[in-house]
Structures are given as structure tokens and as C-alpha cells.
Amino acid sequence: MDGKVYEVPSEWASRAFVDAAGYKRLYQASVADPAAFWAEHGRRIHWFTPYAKVKNTSFAPGAVSIRWYEDGTTNVAYNCIDRHLDTRAGQVAIIWEGDDPSEAKHITYQELHDEVCRLANVLRNRGVEKGDRVTIYMPMIPEAAYAMLACARLGAVHSVVFGGFSPDSLAGRIEDCGSKMIITADEGLRGGRKVPLKANVDAAIERLGGGGVEHVVVVRRTGAEVAMDPVRDVYYHDAREMVTAECPCEEMNAEDPLFILYTSGSTGKPKGVLHTTGGYLVYTAMTHQYVFDYHDGDIYWCTADVGWVTGHSYILYGPLANGATTLMFEGVPNYPTNSRFWEVIDKHKVNTFYTAPTAIRALMQAGEGPVKATSRASLRLLGSVGEPINPEAWEWYHRVVGDARCPIVDTWWQTETGGILITPLPGAIPQKPGSATLPFFGIKPEVVDAEGKVLDGAAEGNLVLADSWPGQMRTVYGDHQRFMDTYFSAYPNKYFTGDGCRRDADGYYWITGRVDDVINVSGHRMGTAEVESALVAHAKVSEAAVVGYPHDIKGQGIYAYVTLMADEQPSEELRKELAAWVRREIGPIAQPDLIQFAPSLPKTRSGKIMRRILRKIAEDEFGNLGDTSTLADPGVVSDLIDNRQNKQ
Ligand code: PRX
């Protein structure tokens, strides 16, 4: 059963940029001749030197190379700011809503220009040049946006690290890309709680033994007393006084790097996903316009954090390239009350609201009251991103939040894809709750079986992409071989997404979740290997295996099986200690929900942990363990089942 279909409301079919016939026509054109299609749409941004070459991409084994608009030059900050000044200098670019409901700011395009130039000058005075990497570890304050755009202006490559990551995680990311400059704040503020950002930066640098970090620029957010190294550290408000509000934009080649964003994979350390300049901006701007049917004057709100790709592409770059008004929210959905999201919508007259299923499910548990206490009359369109949305949550979002008038765009994409790939267009594509529906222009999804055979029609298997699009990541920073191995080796000549999916008889795609050792906790991607290595770093742990299990609110929870050192005894206290340990090692998002002490783990005779069995036990599917005959000691399994941890 593919469930209900929600037809495109008639006012949408006439209002939207693209209707059903338009979608078919444009999609056909985009896949029939990608170079011609993207040659035309690349002109939506301003180029200093126009491109003559459009597409030069190869997924060939051992020779993957992705280049778009490679002889064009442009600058992302120029496109997001300067280009708009003639017509929009006084228009609000960013509405900032603070954690505390009494705090808000409206930043015009002119003010954005001046602030970004000042911050760029502060960086330039400290030696930051084109190509240098700058780590940004910030709360959701306007200065985070200024910092990213300041880097883009100078041609420096930003690496934003989510403020919830630990000093260790931050240190690894600083070291991997070799940044000499860090931009941070004294403290962050979320849900009334303070986050010690500057202290974490100090701890990270200490862990690196200095690590080549020459400068730390500290934005004052809470005004807390923080340690300041007199040589290395400077308060932004002091440095800002010494510079002007004019800073030229560096001329960048389309393929010059724009940013690195670290993301978890099934093995090893997080990978530095590298995105470049021209194609990324064309793709994010275009998807922002069509997927959210963005028209001049709309107030648009994406609730993500700038520490994730959604914040990069759909709080900042896509919207600002389109001259939009984008809302940036410092807080959380349930502070001070469960009405906060809806109050912000009423306060700022938000038309388009884009959030994650995990937030919807959490708010759903609080009932309809907190939603119905608000008007939400300004809302026109709702969006979802980050994980599969279950039909119940979709229906609630539609009926309660959107008063059954607003279409929902369930957008499937990844850090690696730069922008949205599979999604409804609200004026063109009827929605089915739980399905990301159909591919965006230029995207060629395929469903393949384990052997790589392409499946036609209604089918279930792994999701691959048969051709490149301008927003695609170009490489893993500093490790092109890892890029090719991770994404292009499972299925030759195709990009492998790591996701499973089903395509129904109408050609709609239903993403079923990761098929690799990545779990998606509250829409945050986590490698099970990362959590395992944090656990085994604890002195009392000898072995650990981590899997995901279904969780009502988070989508997936983290289930850890832990074998202790011979002389250690399991206890409730140790369980808490290990959870806190992982939280400290990686960050709160990695904290295991359930920890089971296991005398031993199920292994094959060659010593490989059989994760399939561990997954089934965590998922409560003991009746369905599959073949256990290859286990070295089949007795292990019954102990695991007997001591399985209770859910939620
Ligand atoms: O499994 C898919 C899931 O999130 C993964 C990508 O995570 P990340 O790189 O952190 O980017 C999240 C924001 C784009 C995907 O491989 N995912 C993302 N969006 C959806 C989704 N799963 C189902 N439906 C979606 N709409």
C-alpha cells in the first residue's frame, strides 16, 4: 500500500513556478541534455568571467572527476550580498530570533554587506588568504553567517563544526584540514542552557599541542568570563573597531573550494566533504527557488543549525543567492514552551517552514494544544529533511501544523549532494506521506540490487545516482582515493548513496534508511564505528559493537553492546559512566540510548562480529535472526536475547 495521495492544491498549480506539465518538460530536458540545461540555469548567478565549458564529469573507476563551469569565475559572497545591493539594500536579509523570545534582530542586505566586510577584514589582517582553511565553531548567531560569508569573500575555505561536538571531535577536524584560524564565541545559548564554546576551543587546541592554530577570534554572546590568550585570542568586538566596512571580493574559479564539512561514514574518522564554488551555488539557489517555490517577499525559515549541510545550503547560500529573507533561530523547539516554533512563525509572519521529522515527532507528543494556541495563518508551505518521515508524523504536520492547507515537501539529500535531489515541487507533484516522491531536474536515480543490476519499474534495492549534478561534492578533503572508494566502488560508474529505497508503480521514491553502518539519530548522522572507538577508549571496556534501533522520536536510537575487561563488573553506575564518556568524547548526539553488557559478542569463526544479529536483537526481532550456524559460539546469542535492554 502506498497510502494516501495529496493532490496539488489548485492555487498552487497556478501560483508556482512549475506545474505538472512544466515539471515533466523540464525534467526531460535536464536529463536529455544536461550540459545544455545547466548552461542555461548556470546564468542565474553572476559570473565575473562567464563559463564556456559546462559539464566535465566522470564516475569512471579509478578516475572519478567532477567539474562544472570550470572556466568561469565568480564569488559566492558577491552573489549572496553585493549583487543585491542596487535593488535590496534596505530589504531584510536575515531575521535573527534569539534563544530568549525577547531577543530578535533584523539585518538588511546593506548591513549584511558591512558586517561581512568587517569580519573579512579582521581575518585578512590576521593573514587569512585565498585557499586557507578557517574553522568556525559558533552558536546560531548572525556572526556565524558573517563568518561563513567572510571566508567566501576572501576565498578562504570554511569548515563549520557543529557547536555540540566535543573538544576531541573539534580537534580532529581542525587538524585534518590544518586551519590556523578559529572563529568562535564565548558561550552558546540553547534552551536557556550555556555551551562553553571558547573553553572547548582551548581544550581542542591544547589536545593538538597548539596544532598550528595562530588566531582565535571570539564573538561575545553571553558575556561570560573566558580565558583569553593575549597573543592568540582577540575579541571580535575589539577587532571590529579597527577595520572598515569595505572589502573586495576575491575572484574565484568555479572549481575553487568553498567549504569543507565533516560527516560520518561507515568506517574510520569523519570525512571532510569538499564543496566548490560555482556549481554548488547554482544548484542550491535553483533548488531553493523551485522546491520552496520561493517568491520575492516570502519569509523563509529553515530550523537547521549552520553546523550541518542543511544550514549551509538552505539557511544561507541558496536563500541569500536568491535575495531572500531567511530566518535564523538560536533556540530549540521546546523552549520556553512547546509553542515556540509556532510563535516564531506568527511573530515574523513566516510563509515557508523547513524542519526535521524528529522535531515534528517530539512536538506531536506534546499534543495539538501548543500548536492550536497559535495562528500560523502566514504559512503556505512546509518542508521536511534529514531522515525518513513516518506517515503518521507527516499527517500530523499536514493537518495540525499546516491546517490541511499547506503542501509538504519531503526533501531527500545528503551532505555529499550539496542540495536537494529527490523532492516534490509543491505546484507540480502530488504528495504521498512518507515518500520523497520524484527527482529534481538533472538527477538520475536508479534502484540497484546487491549485484548492481539496475531494477526497472516498481522495485526495492539500493539507491544510486547515474550522473553528476552541479552541487555534488568533489572530493574528500586531502584524500581523493577515499572519495572514490567510498562512493564509486560498490557500483562502477554510479554514485552510491548508502541509502536503501523502494520505487512504487508511480515512479515515486521511498527512502528506507541507511544500508551501511551509519545511523541517523534525530536526523544527525553518526558512524557506529566512531561510537565504538570512543567506547573501547574507556579503560574498563574491552570490546564494543554499536547498532541502531527504531526510536519513536529520534527515528533511530543508539544501542551499544559492551564487553568489559576481565576484572570489571557490570553496574548501573558503569552504564551511566560509559554514556557520559561517549558524550564527552564525541558530543551529546553520540550518547548511547541503551547499553547492554555482554560477556561476549557473536563472532564468526574468523573473529568477525556478526552485526546483523546484533541489529536484529536491538530491533526486537529475535524470531528472525537468520543463519547463526557460522557463529563460533552460538550460545552467545541466547545470553544477548535474555539481557536485551528495554526500549524507551
Ligand atoms: O539516510 C538519508 C537521510 O539522511 C542521510 C544524509 O544525512 P546528512 O548527510 O547528515 O544530511 C542530512 C540533511 C540533508 C541520507 O543518506 N535523509 C536525509 N533526508 C531524508 C533522508 N531519509 C529519508 N527522507 C529524507 N527526506
Short mmCIF file of all heavy atoms in Angstrom, two decimals, residues 6-9 12 291-292 352-357 360 379-385 389-411 422-438 508:
data_model
loop_
_atom_site.label_atom_id
_atom_site.label_comp_id
_atom_site.label_asym_id
_atom_site.label_seq_id
_atom_site.Cartn_x
_atom_site.Cartn_y
_atom_site.Cartn_z
N TYR A 6 -2.00 13.19 -1.80
CA TYR A 6 -2.47 14.57 -1.64
C TYR A 6 -2.21 15.32 -2.93
O TYR A 6 -1.06 15.54 -3.31
CB TYR A 6 -1.76 15.25 -0.46
CG TYR A 6 -2.27 14.77 0.87
CD1 TYR A 6 -1.79 13.58 1.42
CD2 TYR A 6 -3.24 15.48 1.57
CE1 TYR A 6 -2.27 13.12 2.64
CE2 TYR A 6 -3.72 15.03 2.79
CZ TYR A 6 -3.23 13.84 3.32
OH TYR A 6 -3.71 13.39 4.51
N GLU A 7 -3.27 15.67 -3.61
CA GLU A 7 -3.13 16.36 -4.89
C GLU A 7 -2.60 17.77 -4.67
O GLU A 7 -2.75 18.34 -3.59
CB GLU A 7 -4.49 16.41 -5.61
CG GLU A 7 -5.06 15.05 -5.99
CD GLU A 7 -4.16 14.26 -6.96
OE1 GLU A 7 -3.34 14.88 -7.66
OE2 GLU A 7 -4.28 13.02 -6.99
N VAL A 8 -2.04 18.34 -5.71
CA VAL A 8 -1.55 19.72 -5.66
C VAL A 8 -2.76 20.65 -5.53
O VAL A 8 -3.67 20.59 -6.36
CB VAL A 8 -0.77 20.05 -6.94
CG1 VAL A 8 -0.42 21.53 -7.00
CG2 VAL A 8 0.48 19.18 -7.05
N PRO A 9 -2.81 21.50 -4.48
CA PRO A 9 -3.95 22.42 -4.36
C PRO A 9 -4.00 23.34 -5.59
O PRO A 9 -2.96 23.71 -6.13
CB PRO A 9 -3.63 23.22 -3.10
CG PRO A 9 -2.59 22.43 -2.36
CD PRO A 9 -1.84 21.66 -3.39
N TRP A 12 -1.96 26.40 -5.86
CA TRP A 12 -0.53 26.14 -6.03
C TRP A 12 -0.17 25.89 -7.48
O TRP A 12 0.87 26.33 -7.96
CB TRP A 12 -0.10 24.95 -5.16
CG TRP A 12 0.30 25.43 -3.82
CD1 TRP A 12 -0.51 25.58 -2.74
CD2 TRP A 12 1.59 25.89 -3.43
NE1 TRP A 12 0.19 26.10 -1.69
CE2 TRP A 12 1.49 26.30 -2.09
CE3 TRP A 12 2.82 25.99 -4.08
CZ2 TRP A 12 2.59 26.81 -1.39
CZ3 TRP A 12 3.90 26.50 -3.38
CH2 TRP A 12 3.78 26.90 -2.05
N VAL A 291 12.02 24.24 -5.13
CA VAL A 291 11.45 23.32 -4.14
C VAL A 291 10.57 24.07 -3.15
O VAL A 291 9.49 23.60 -2.78
CB VAL A 291 12.57 22.56 -3.40
CG1 VAL A 291 11.99 21.69 -2.29
CG2 VAL A 291 13.40 21.72 -4.37
N PHE A 292 11.03 25.27 -2.74
CA PHE A 292 10.23 26.05 -1.79
C PHE A 292 9.38 27.08 -2.51
O PHE A 292 8.76 27.93 -1.88
CB PHE A 292 11.15 26.70 -0.75
CG PHE A 292 11.96 25.69 0.00
CD1 PHE A 292 13.32 25.54 -0.22
CD2 PHE A 292 11.33 24.82 0.89
CE1 PHE A 292 14.06 24.57 0.45
CE2 PHE A 292 12.05 23.85 1.55
CZ PHE A 292 13.42 23.72 1.33
N THR A 352 7.23 29.94 4.71
CA THR A 352 7.77 28.62 4.40
C THR A 352 8.56 28.14 5.60
O THR A 352 9.43 28.87 6.11
CB THR A 352 8.70 28.69 3.18
OG1 THR A 352 7.96 29.23 2.10
CG2 THR A 352 9.24 27.33 2.81
N PHE A 353 8.28 26.92 6.03
CA PHE A 353 8.88 26.39 7.26
C PHE A 353 9.47 25.02 6.95
O PHE A 353 8.78 24.13 6.47
CB PHE A 353 7.79 26.28 8.33
CG PHE A 353 8.25 25.70 9.62
CD1 PHE A 353 9.11 26.40 10.45
CD2 PHE A 353 7.81 24.44 10.02
CE1 PHE A 353 9.54 25.84 11.66
CE2 PHE A 353 8.24 23.89 11.23
CZ PHE A 353 9.10 24.61 12.05
N TYR A 354 10.77 24.87 7.24
CA TYR A 354 11.50 23.66 6.83
C TYR A 354 12.18 23.08 8.07
O TYR A 354 13.04 23.73 8.67
CB TYR A 354 12.53 24.12 5.79
CG TYR A 354 13.33 23.06 5.05
CD1 TYR A 354 12.82 21.82 4.73
CD2 TYR A 354 14.62 23.38 4.60
CE1 TYR A 354 13.58 20.90 4.01
CE2 TYR A 354 15.38 22.47 3.88
CZ TYR A 354 14.85 21.23 3.59
OH TYR A 354 15.60 20.34 2.86
N THR A 355 11.78 21.87 8.49
CA THR A 355 12.34 21.30 9.71
C THR A 355 12.56 19.80 9.56
O THR A 355 12.42 19.25 8.47
CB THR A 355 11.45 21.64 10.93
OG1 THR A 355 12.17 21.43 12.14
CG2 THR A 355 10.18 20.80 10.96
N ALA A 356 12.90 19.13 10.66
CA ALA A 356 13.23 17.70 10.62
C ALA A 356 12.13 16.86 11.28
O ALA A 356 11.50 17.31 12.24
CB ALA A 356 14.55 17.47 11.34
N PRO A 357 11.92 15.65 10.78
CA PRO A 357 10.90 14.77 11.36
C PRO A 357 11.04 14.59 12.87
O PRO A 357 10.04 14.48 13.58
CB PRO A 357 11.13 13.44 10.64
CG PRO A 357 11.71 13.82 9.33
CD PRO A 357 12.56 15.04 9.60
N ILE A 360 9.27 17.25 14.59
CA ILE A 360 7.81 17.09 14.43
C ILE A 360 7.30 16.01 15.39
O ILE A 360 6.31 16.20 16.08
CB ILE A 360 7.47 16.72 12.97
CG1 ILE A 360 7.93 17.85 12.04
CG2 ILE A 360 5.98 16.46 12.81
CD1 ILE A 360 7.99 17.46 10.58
N LEU A 379 1.55 30.76 7.10
CA LEU A 379 2.21 29.59 6.50
C LEU A 379 1.59 29.20 5.17
O LEU A 379 0.38 29.18 5.01
CB LEU A 379 2.06 28.38 7.43
CG LEU A 379 3.10 28.17 8.51
CD1 LEU A 379 2.78 26.87 9.24
CD2 LEU A 379 4.51 28.14 7.95
N ARG A 380 2.47 28.87 4.22
CA ARG A 380 1.99 28.41 2.92
C ARG A 380 2.57 27.05 2.55
O ARG A 380 1.96 26.27 1.84
CB ARG A 380 2.41 29.42 1.85
CG ARG A 380 1.26 30.18 1.28
CD ARG A 380 1.58 30.99 0.06
NE ARG A 380 2.87 31.60 0.04
CZ ARG A 380 3.09 32.92 0.11
NH1 ARG A 380 2.08 33.75 0.23
NH2 ARG A 380 4.31 33.40 0.05
N LEU A 381 3.77 26.80 3.04
CA LEU A 381 4.46 25.58 2.62
C LEU A 381 5.27 25.02 3.78
O LEU A 381 5.89 25.77 4.54
CB LEU A 381 5.41 25.92 1.45
CG LEU A 381 6.24 24.78 0.87
CD1 LEU A 381 5.34 23.74 0.21
CD2 LEU A 381 7.24 25.31 -0.16
N LEU A 382 5.27 23.68 3.90
CA LEU A 382 6.04 23.01 4.95
C LEU A 382 7.08 22.10 4.29
O LEU A 382 6.84 21.57 3.21
CB LEU A 382 5.12 22.16 5.83
CG LEU A 382 3.98 22.92 6.53
CD1 LEU A 382 3.02 21.94 7.20
CD2 LEU A 382 4.57 23.89 7.56
N GLY A 383 8.22 21.94 4.97
CA GLY A 383 9.25 21.06 4.43
C GLY A 383 9.79 20.13 5.51
O GLY A 383 9.69 20.42 6.70
N SER A 384 10.37 19.01 5.06
CA SER A 384 10.93 18.02 5.96
C SER A 384 12.27 17.55 5.40
O SER A 384 12.42 17.41 4.19
CB SER A 384 9.96 16.84 6.07
OG SER A 384 10.54 15.77 6.79
N VAL A 385 13.23 17.28 6.28
CA VAL A 385 14.56 16.87 5.82
C VAL A 385 15.32 16.13 6.91
O VAL A 385 15.10 16.37 8.08
CB VAL A 385 15.41 18.09 5.40
CG1 VAL A 385 15.60 19.07 6.54
CG2 VAL A 385 16.78 17.66 4.85
N ILE A 389 10.38 10.46 7.03
CA ILE A 389 9.27 10.92 7.87
C ILE A 389 8.19 9.85 7.81
O ILE A 389 7.75 9.46 6.73
CB ILE A 389 8.75 12.32 7.46
CG1 ILE A 389 7.59 12.74 8.37
CG2 ILE A 389 8.37 12.43 6.00
CD1 ILE A 389 7.28 14.23 8.32
N ASN A 390 7.79 9.35 8.99
CA ASN A 390 6.77 8.31 9.01
C ASN A 390 5.42 8.94 8.67
O ASN A 390 5.18 10.10 8.98
CB ASN A 390 6.74 7.61 10.38
CG ASN A 390 6.77 8.60 11.52
OD1 ASN A 390 7.59 9.52 11.52
ND2 ASN A 390 5.87 8.46 12.47
N PRO A 391 4.55 8.21 7.98
CA PRO A 391 3.28 8.78 7.54
C PRO A 391 2.46 9.43 8.66
O PRO A 391 1.83 10.45 8.44
CB PRO A 391 2.54 7.58 6.94
CG PRO A 391 3.65 6.69 6.46
CD PRO A 391 4.76 6.86 7.45
N GLU A 392 2.51 8.88 9.89
CA GLU A 392 1.74 9.48 11.00
C GLU A 392 2.23 10.89 11.27
O GLU A 392 1.45 11.82 11.47
CB GLU A 392 1.89 8.66 12.30
CG GLU A 392 1.44 7.21 12.23
CD GLU A 392 2.36 6.35 11.37
OE1 GLU A 392 3.60 6.55 11.41
OE2 GLU A 392 1.84 5.48 10.63
N ALA A 393 3.56 11.05 11.31
CA ALA A 393 4.12 12.38 11.58
C ALA A 393 3.81 13.31 10.40
O ALA A 393 3.49 14.49 10.58
CB ALA A 393 5.63 12.29 11.80
N TRP A 394 3.86 12.80 9.19
CA TRP A 394 3.54 13.60 8.00
C TRP A 394 2.11 14.12 8.10
O TRP A 394 1.84 15.31 7.90
CB TRP A 394 3.70 12.73 6.75
CG TRP A 394 3.78 13.45 5.44
CD1 TRP A 394 4.90 13.67 4.70
CD2 TRP A 394 2.69 14.02 4.68
NE1 TRP A 394 4.58 14.35 3.54
CE2 TRP A 394 3.24 14.57 3.50
CE3 TRP A 394 1.32 14.12 4.89
CZ2 TRP A 394 2.46 15.21 2.53
CZ3 TRP A 394 0.54 14.76 3.92
CH2 TRP A 394 1.11 15.30 2.76
N GLU A 395 1.19 13.21 8.43
CA GLU A 395 -0.23 13.58 8.50
C GLU A 395 -0.47 14.63 9.59
O GLU A 395 -1.25 15.56 9.40
CB GLU A 395 -1.10 12.34 8.81
CG GLU A 395 -1.07 11.26 7.72
CD GLU A 395 -2.01 11.56 6.55
OE1 GLU A 395 -2.69 12.60 6.58
OE2 GLU A 395 -2.03 10.75 5.61
N TRP A 396 0.20 14.46 10.71
CA TRP A 396 0.05 15.43 11.81
C TRP A 396 0.57 16.79 11.39
O TRP A 396 -0.06 17.82 11.63
CB TRP A 396 0.78 14.90 13.05
CG TRP A 396 0.54 15.71 14.29
CD1 TRP A 396 -0.50 15.57 15.16
CD2 TRP A 396 1.36 16.77 14.80
NE1 TRP A 396 -0.38 16.48 16.18
CE2 TRP A 396 0.75 17.23 15.99
CE3 TRP A 396 2.55 17.36 14.38
CZ2 TRP A 396 1.30 18.26 16.76
CZ3 TRP A 396 3.08 18.39 15.14
CH2 TRP A 396 2.46 18.83 16.31
N TYR A 397 1.73 16.79 10.79
CA TYR A 397 2.37 18.03 10.29
C TYR A 397 1.40 18.74 9.33
O TYR A 397 1.16 19.94 9.42
CB TYR A 397 3.65 17.61 9.57
CG TYR A 397 4.70 18.65 9.28
CD1 TYR A 397 4.85 19.80 10.06
CD2 TYR A 397 5.62 18.45 8.23
CE1 TYR A 397 5.86 20.72 9.77
CE2 TYR A 397 6.62 19.36 7.95
CZ TYR A 397 6.74 20.49 8.73
OH TYR A 397 7.74 21.39 8.46
N HIS A 398 0.82 17.95 8.45
CA HIS A 398 -0.07 18.49 7.43
C HIS A 398 -1.37 19.03 8.05
O HIS A 398 -1.76 20.18 7.82
CB HIS A 398 -0.39 17.39 6.41
CG HIS A 398 -1.19 17.86 5.24
ND1 HIS A 398 -2.55 17.71 5.16
CD2 HIS A 398 -0.82 18.51 4.11
CE1 HIS A 398 -2.99 18.23 4.02
NE2 HIS A 398 -1.96 18.72 3.36
N ARG A 399 -1.98 18.20 8.88
CA ARG A 399 -3.31 18.52 9.40
C ARG A 399 -3.25 19.56 10.52
O ARG A 399 -4.00 20.55 10.51
CB ARG A 399 -3.98 17.23 9.93
CG ARG A 399 -5.37 17.41 10.53
CD ARG A 399 -5.97 16.05 10.93
NE ARG A 399 -5.13 15.32 11.88
CZ ARG A 399 -5.10 15.57 13.19
NH1 ARG A 399 -5.86 16.50 13.72
NH2 ARG A 399 -4.29 14.87 13.98
N VAL A 400 -2.32 19.35 11.48
CA VAL A 400 -2.32 20.21 12.67
C VAL A 400 -1.50 21.47 12.42
O VAL A 400 -1.99 22.58 12.61
CB VAL A 400 -1.80 19.42 13.90
CG1 VAL A 400 -1.81 20.31 15.14
CG2 VAL A 400 -2.65 18.18 14.12
N VAL A 401 -0.25 21.31 11.97
CA VAL A 401 0.60 22.49 11.78
C VAL A 401 0.13 23.30 10.57
O VAL A 401 -0.01 24.51 10.61
CB VAL A 401 2.08 22.09 11.61
CG1 VAL A 401 2.94 23.32 11.33
CG2 VAL A 401 2.57 21.36 12.86
N GLY A 402 -0.15 22.60 9.46
CA GLY A 402 -0.48 23.29 8.21
C GLY A 402 -1.97 23.47 8.00
O GLY A 402 -2.38 23.91 6.92
N ASP A 403 -2.79 23.14 9.01
CA ASP A 403 -4.25 23.28 8.90
C ASP A 403 -4.78 22.70 7.59
O ASP A 403 -5.73 23.24 7.00
CB ASP A 403 -4.67 24.76 9.03
CG ASP A 403 -4.60 25.23 10.48
OD1 ASP A 403 -4.89 24.41 11.38
OD2 ASP A 403 -4.24 26.39 10.71
N ALA A 404 -4.15 21.65 7.13
CA ALA A 404 -4.56 20.92 5.92
C ALA A 404 -4.57 21.79 4.66
O ALA A 404 -5.17 21.44 3.66
CB ALA A 404 -5.93 20.25 6.12
N ARG A 405 -3.85 22.96 4.73
CA ARG A 405 -3.82 23.80 3.51
C ARG A 405 -2.45 23.80 2.85
O ARG A 405 -2.32 24.20 1.71
CB ARG A 405 -4.11 25.28 3.76
CG ARG A 405 -4.70 25.71 4.98
CD ARG A 405 -4.76 27.25 5.10
NE ARG A 405 -3.94 27.62 6.23
CZ ARG A 405 -2.75 28.17 6.15
NH1 ARG A 405 -2.26 28.52 5.00
NH2 ARG A 405 -2.06 28.40 7.25
N CYS A 406 -1.39 23.42 3.60
CA CYS A 406 -0.03 23.62 3.09
C CYS A 406 0.55 22.32 2.54
O CYS A 406 0.57 21.31 3.25
CB CYS A 406 0.87 24.10 4.22
SG CYS A 406 0.25 25.57 5.05
N PRO A 407 1.02 22.33 1.32
CA PRO A 407 1.74 21.15 0.83
C PRO A 407 2.99 20.90 1.68
O PRO A 407 3.49 21.81 2.33
CB PRO A 407 2.16 21.54 -0.60
CG PRO A 407 1.34 22.73 -0.96
CD PRO A 407 0.98 23.41 0.33
N ILE A 408 3.45 19.65 1.67
CA ILE A 408 4.70 19.32 2.38
C ILE A 408 5.73 18.83 1.36
O ILE A 408 5.44 17.93 0.57
CB ILE A 408 4.48 18.21 3.43
CG1 ILE A 408 3.50 18.69 4.50
CG2 ILE A 408 5.82 17.79 4.05
CD1 ILE A 408 3.20 17.66 5.58
N VAL A 409 6.91 19.45 1.39
CA VAL A 409 7.99 18.93 0.55
C VAL A 409 8.93 18.10 1.42
O VAL A 409 9.58 18.61 2.31
CB VAL A 409 8.74 20.05 -0.21
CG1 VAL A 409 7.85 20.61 -1.33
CG2 VAL A 409 9.20 21.20 0.69
N ASP A 410 8.92 16.79 1.18
CA ASP A 410 9.80 15.86 1.90
C ASP A 410 11.05 15.73 1.04
O ASP A 410 11.03 15.08 0.00
CB ASP A 410 9.08 14.52 2.07
CG ASP A 410 9.96 13.44 2.66
OD1 ASP A 410 11.14 13.72 2.99
OD2 ASP A 410 9.47 12.30 2.80
N THR A 411 12.12 16.38 1.48
CA THR A 411 13.30 16.54 0.62
C THR A 411 14.39 15.55 1.00
O THR A 411 14.91 15.59 2.11
CB THR A 411 13.86 17.97 0.76
OG1 THR A 411 14.29 18.17 2.12
CG2 THR A 411 12.81 19.00 0.41
N ILE A 422 15.82 14.56 -4.32
CA ILE A 422 14.51 13.94 -4.57
C ILE A 422 13.50 14.66 -3.69
O ILE A 422 13.69 14.76 -2.47
CB ILE A 422 14.54 12.43 -4.27
CG1 ILE A 422 15.61 11.73 -5.13
CG2 ILE A 422 13.16 11.81 -4.53
CD1 ILE A 422 15.65 10.23 -4.98
N THR A 423 12.44 15.16 -4.31
CA THR A 423 11.50 16.02 -3.57
C THR A 423 10.27 16.32 -4.42
O THR A 423 10.36 16.34 -5.65
CB THR A 423 12.19 17.38 -3.26
OG1 THR A 423 11.25 18.23 -2.59
CG2 THR A 423 12.63 18.11 -4.53
N PRO A 424 9.15 16.56 -3.77
CA PRO A 424 8.04 17.13 -4.55
C PRO A 424 8.35 18.58 -4.91
O PRO A 424 9.08 19.25 -4.18
CB PRO A 424 6.86 17.10 -3.57
CG PRO A 424 7.31 16.35 -2.36
CD PRO A 424 8.80 16.37 -2.35
N LEU A 425 7.82 19.07 -6.02
CA LEU A 425 7.74 20.51 -6.25
C LEU A 425 6.29 20.86 -5.92
O LEU A 425 5.37 20.20 -6.44
CB LEU A 425 8.08 20.86 -7.70
CG LEU A 425 9.48 20.48 -8.17
CD1 LEU A 425 9.74 21.00 -9.58
CD2 LEU A 425 10.54 21.00 -7.22
N PRO A 426 6.07 21.86 -5.06
CA PRO A 426 4.73 22.00 -4.47
C PRO A 426 3.61 22.30 -5.46
O PRO A 426 2.46 21.96 -5.21
CB PRO A 426 4.89 23.14 -3.47
CG PRO A 426 6.14 23.84 -3.86
CD PRO A 426 7.02 22.83 -4.52
N GLY A 427 3.93 22.89 -6.61
CA GLY A 427 2.88 23.18 -7.58
C GLY A 427 2.73 22.11 -8.65
O GLY A 427 1.90 22.23 -9.54
N ALA A 428 3.58 21.07 -8.55
CA ALA A 428 3.65 20.14 -9.67
C ALA A 428 3.42 18.68 -9.29
O ALA A 428 2.90 17.91 -10.10
CB ALA A 428 5.03 20.27 -10.34
N ILE A 429 3.82 18.29 -8.10
CA ILE A 429 3.90 16.86 -7.80
C ILE A 429 2.99 16.49 -6.62
O ILE A 429 3.21 16.96 -5.50
CB ILE A 429 5.38 16.46 -7.50
CG1 ILE A 429 6.24 16.78 -8.74
CG2 ILE A 429 5.48 14.99 -7.12
CD1 ILE A 429 7.72 16.55 -8.55
N PRO A 430 1.97 15.67 -6.85
CA PRO A 430 1.11 15.21 -5.75
C PRO A 430 1.97 14.49 -4.71
O PRO A 430 2.92 13.78 -5.07
CB PRO A 430 0.14 14.25 -6.42
CG PRO A 430 0.16 14.62 -7.87
CD PRO A 430 1.57 15.11 -8.14
N GLN A 431 1.63 14.68 -3.44
CA GLN A 431 2.47 14.09 -2.39
C GLN A 431 1.84 12.82 -1.84
O GLN A 431 0.62 12.71 -1.75
CB GLN A 431 2.63 15.10 -1.25
CG GLN A 431 3.32 16.37 -1.68
CD GLN A 431 2.50 17.59 -1.29
OE1 GLN A 431 2.19 17.77 -0.13
NE2 GLN A 431 2.14 18.40 -2.27
N LYS A 432 2.72 11.90 -1.45
CA LYS A 432 2.30 10.71 -0.71
C LYS A 432 3.05 10.75 0.61
O LYS A 432 4.28 10.79 0.60
CB LYS A 432 2.68 9.43 -1.47
CG LYS A 432 2.03 9.29 -2.84
CD LYS A 432 2.41 7.93 -3.44
CE LYS A 432 1.95 7.83 -4.88
NZ LYS A 432 2.26 6.50 -5.47
N PRO A 433 2.34 10.73 1.75
CA PRO A 433 3.03 10.82 3.04
C PRO A 433 4.08 9.74 3.20
O PRO A 433 3.77 8.55 3.09
CB PRO A 433 1.90 10.64 4.06
CG PRO A 433 0.67 11.06 3.31
CD PRO A 433 0.89 10.67 1.88
N GLY A 434 5.32 10.13 3.44
CA GLY A 434 6.40 9.17 3.63
C GLY A 434 7.27 8.98 2.40
O GLY A 434 8.30 8.33 2.46
N SER A 435 6.87 9.58 1.28
CA SER A 435 7.68 9.45 0.06
C SER A 435 8.30 10.78 -0.31
O SER A 435 7.62 11.81 -0.29
CB SER A 435 6.81 8.96 -1.11
OG SER A 435 7.55 9.06 -2.32
N ALA A 436 9.60 10.74 -0.67
CA ALA A 436 10.26 11.96 -1.14
C ALA A 436 9.87 12.24 -2.60
O ALA A 436 10.32 13.22 -3.18
CB ALA A 436 11.77 11.84 -0.98
N THR A 437 9.09 11.41 -3.15
CA THR A 437 8.46 11.49 -4.49
C THR A 437 9.45 11.38 -5.65
O THR A 437 10.00 10.31 -5.85
CB THR A 437 7.53 12.72 -4.66
OG1 THR A 437 8.27 13.91 -4.85
CG2 THR A 437 6.56 12.86 -3.49
N LEU A 438 9.73 12.48 -6.37
CA LEU A 438 10.40 12.37 -7.68
C LEU A 438 11.69 13.19 -7.72
O LEU A 438 11.87 14.14 -6.95
CB LEU A 438 9.44 12.86 -8.77
CG LEU A 438 8.14 12.05 -8.93
CD1 LEU A 438 7.21 12.72 -9.95
CD2 LEU A 438 8.45 10.62 -9.34
N TYR A 508 7.47 6.82 -7.72
CA TYR A 508 7.82 7.58 -6.51
C TYR A 508 8.89 6.83 -5.71
O TYR A 508 8.84 5.60 -5.58
CB TYR A 508 6.58 7.76 -5.62
CG TYR A 508 5.72 8.95 -5.99
CD1 TYR A 508 5.44 9.25 -7.32
CD2 TYR A 508 5.17 9.76 -5.00
CE1 TYR A 508 4.66 10.33 -7.66
CE2 TYR A 508 4.37 10.86 -5.32
CZ TYR A 508 4.12 11.13 -6.66
OH TYR A 508 3.33 12.21 -6.97
#
